[in-house]
Amino acid sequence: MKNIRNIILAAFIALVSVSFFSCGETPSAKFLKEYEAFVVSAEKSAKSNDFSKLEALAKKEAQFTKKAGQLSKDTSSWTISDAGKYTALTARWTAAEAKLSALKVKKEAGKAAEKTGAALKDLGSKLKK
């Protein structure tokens, strides 16, 4: 009877310990979860060719970069694994940002070409007169 009680007590302590560790999210884990959600939203914008969000996304990325710098100073919270995940997420963000930037430049170049073409056509009409 005493052995069964000890086994149940040990199992209970183990279960409680596991629940405490799984519920306690470190600041770096919380940050990485938020950053990953941000990166996914940027990737969705890039996939849908929605470069209108580029400026807002870039501002938010700057905030994440600042926060990552603060977190990395706390070596007890920021692990090598966290740094690796952050680096991978940053690479994904950079790819999404590059696509959005290219789309924006392409649209702006198209508008500039149209204006230049219209101006040349107008000039050509004036020169013929």
Side-chain angles (χ1 to χ4, degrees), residues 50-114:
D50 186 7
F51 63 87
S52 65
K53 297 179 182 178
L54 180 60
E55 189 174 324
L57 289 169
K59 286 180 182 178
K60 188 147 180 121
E61 165 61 16
Q63 293 170 349
F64 277 114
T65 300
K66 183 177 179 182
K67 190 169 183 177
Q70 293 167 346
L71 281 172
S72 68
K73 291 177 185 175
D74 180 10
T75 56
S76 65
S77 172
W78 194 258
T79 65
I80 292 173
S81 176
D82 293 336
K85 184 169 183 174
Y86 177 71
T87 301
L89 288 170
T90 300
R92 287 172 52 193
W93 153 250
T94 302
E97 180 187 33
K99 181 175 181 186
L100 292 170
S101 294
L103 290 167
K104 183 176 180 181
V105 167
K106 181 180 176 182
K107 182 160 183 159
E108 289 174 354
K111 285 181 182 180
E114 287 175 9

Side-chain angles (χ1 to χ4, degrees), residues 19-34:
S19 68
F20 277 127
F21 285 114
S22 64
C23 292
E25 191 172 47
T26 65
S28 59
K30 183 179 178 190
F31 167 78
L32 289 169
K33 190 182 291 182
E34 291 171 0

